[in-house]
Amino acid sequence: MKWIVSLLALAFVQIVSASPAIEKRAAANDVANIGYATLNGGTSGGSGGTVTTVTTLAALTSAVSGTAKKIVIISGTITGNTAIRVGSNTSVLGKAGSSLVGVGLRVYRESNVIIRNVKISKVLADAGDAIGVQEASQVWLDHLDLSSDRDHDKVNYDGLLDITHGCTGVTVSYSKLYNHWKASLVGHSDSNGAEDTKITVTYAFNQFSNLNSRTPSFRFGHGHIYNNVFDNNNDGINTRLGAQLLVENNVWSSGTTKPLYSTDGGFAVARGNDFGGGSNTAPAGNFNSPPYGYSLTATSSVRSSVTGQVGQTLSF
């Protein structure tokens, strides 16, 4: 009898180990707890405000507008071909199984915004980026699932996640960016240094996979990129035009040719990374420590700890 119990226990352990990530319980009133989004008074979004659940494009558009404190929960699948403006002091949360198809979110000249556990796919270029953050401050982008496909020409879609025009206090965490041409651009253009030099962005515990470029492409500002996983991408982290990056304990799949490199005078301090057989060719920078506390996961444990948690894995 004991051996039967032991076999059943072993089988249970094996099943659990092989199962996909279990949803993690989160609270609608959670505030940013990682990276640049914790600075300057923090990022609380709509914590403590009214709570509205939406199931249609019209309802979502109305619910996220304005600057009053509010929490907007997306339920079900909402389709369209547009980008919706998200107002300040707002938390946009996706229920498990919810998605936006062809509908992007835009944080433009706003502050104190949380977008969390939201799945967005196939936003066409004429609508813009899946998520676009411009001239904004204190933004936490967490547990996102962002994708399109690479079956179409790269002009069919724009970026998955672009952070431009002098944004400060932005954190991208536990998110999954995949199956796309142009993943994540930081800094608007080569001629926009006067505005974009102040950019501050953290990328932590994300997975970038099956992407052509911009993983991310980073102009002018300061970026802390740590404990991320990069798989089967055509391009790596590109530090550009005076950007100062701190790149720590990230992991690339084998065969990556340029995991970290520079164009037009970008810089990076690289520590503890597994470049998957590739090498860092970026000039050494001077950004050695971010202005916030953080804990690094050991490089050898990054893949196993990150891949099971990224994307829409929260439950509200």
Side-chain angles (χ1 to χ4, degrees):
M1 184 67 177
K2 288 183 178 179
W3 67 270
I4 294 176
V5 173
S6 298
L7 283 174
L8 289 173
L10 178 60
F12 175 77
V13 170
Q14 290 174 333
I15 290 170
V16 170
S17 300
S19 297
I22 298 173
E23 290 177 0
K24 176 183 177 183
R25 187 69 183 170
N29 288 303
D30 285 348
V31 302
N33 58 9
I34 185 171
Y36 275 111
T38 63
L39 301 181
N40 300 316
T43 304
S44 57
S47 180
T50 59
V51 180
T52 304
T53 298
V54 298
T55 60
T56 68
L57 182 61
L60 174 61
T61 303
S62 175
V64 300
S65 66
T67 61
K69 190 180 293 185
K70 55 197 173 295
I71 298 169
V72 180
I73 300 176
I74 299 169
S75 179
T77 299
I78 297 175
T79 62
N81 180 26
T82 189
I84 296 175
R85 290 276 299 271
V86 179
S88 298
N89 308 312
T90 303
S91 294
V92 183
L93 312 177
K95 291 191 72 171
S98 66
S99 68
L100 302 179
V101 180
V103 179
L105 298 177
R106 198 72 65 245
V107 183
Y108 177 58
R109 293 183 176 176
E110 305 289 352
S111 63
N112 192 32
V113 173
I114 293 173
I115 303 176
R116 209 169 178 217
N117 210 52
V118 173
K119 182 177 182 178
I120 302 177
S121 64
K122 298 184 183 300
V123 179
L124 297 178
D126 57 0
D129 305 315
I131 291 184
V133 185
Q134 301 178 17
E135 296 183 59
S137 62
Q138 302 313 120
V139 179
W140 185 29
L141 307 168
D142 180 66
H143 280 91
L144 304 178
D145 183 309
L146 306 178
S147 70
S148 63
D149 61 61
R150 293 178 63 181
D151 300 327
H152 298 84
D153 188 272
K154 63 182 178 181
V155 299
N156 196 62
Y157 304 106
D158 204 344
L160 283 181
L161 172 54
D162 286 7
I163 302 164
T164 59
H165 293 284
C167 292
T168 58
V170 180
T171 295
V172 183
S173 56
Y174 293 100
S175 294
K176 183 178 180 181
L177 287 73
Y178 61 104
N179 297 348
H180 195 77
W181 286 95
K182 299 170 290 186
S184 191
L185 176 69
V186 180
H188 172 62
S189 68
D190 291 358
S191 61
N192 206 51
E195 184 180 32
D196 284 340
T197 299
K198 68 179 183 178
I199 283 176
T200 51
V201 181
T202 302
Y203 289 87
F205 304 101
N206 304 291
Q207 184 177 22
F208 297 77
S209 61
N210 192 31
L211 302 164
N212 182 63
S213 63
R214 302 181 182 177
T215 64
S217 174
F218 207 115
R219 291 184 179 102
F220 296 114
H222 282 73
H224 188 197
I225 302 173
Y226 72 95
N227 286 154
N228 300 282
V229 174
F230 301 87
D231 286 328
N232 304 314
N233 303 314
N234 295 346
D235 205 357
I237 298 171
N238 184 6
T239 176
R240 309 171 61 182
L241 292 158
Q244 293 282 350
L245 306 185
L246 176 57
V247 182
E248 301 183 282
N249 290 31
N250 301 283
V251 176
W252 281 259
S253 55
S254 61
T256 302
T257 57
K258 50 179 184 178
L260 174 58
Y261 69 104
S262 170
T263 55
D264 302 314
F267 303 91
V269 172
R271 300 192 291 241
N273 300 285
D274 179 352
F275 289 121
S279 60
N280 165 31
T281 60
N286 58 23
F287 182 33
N288 293 286
S289 179
Y292 50 79
Y294 66 103
S295 297
L296 283 173
T297 298
T299 308
S300 59
S301 301
V302 168
R303 180 173 295 280
S304 60
S305 63
V306 169
T307 55
Q309 297 188 65
V310 293
Q312 193 184 64
T313 58
L314 301 180
S315 176
F316 293 99

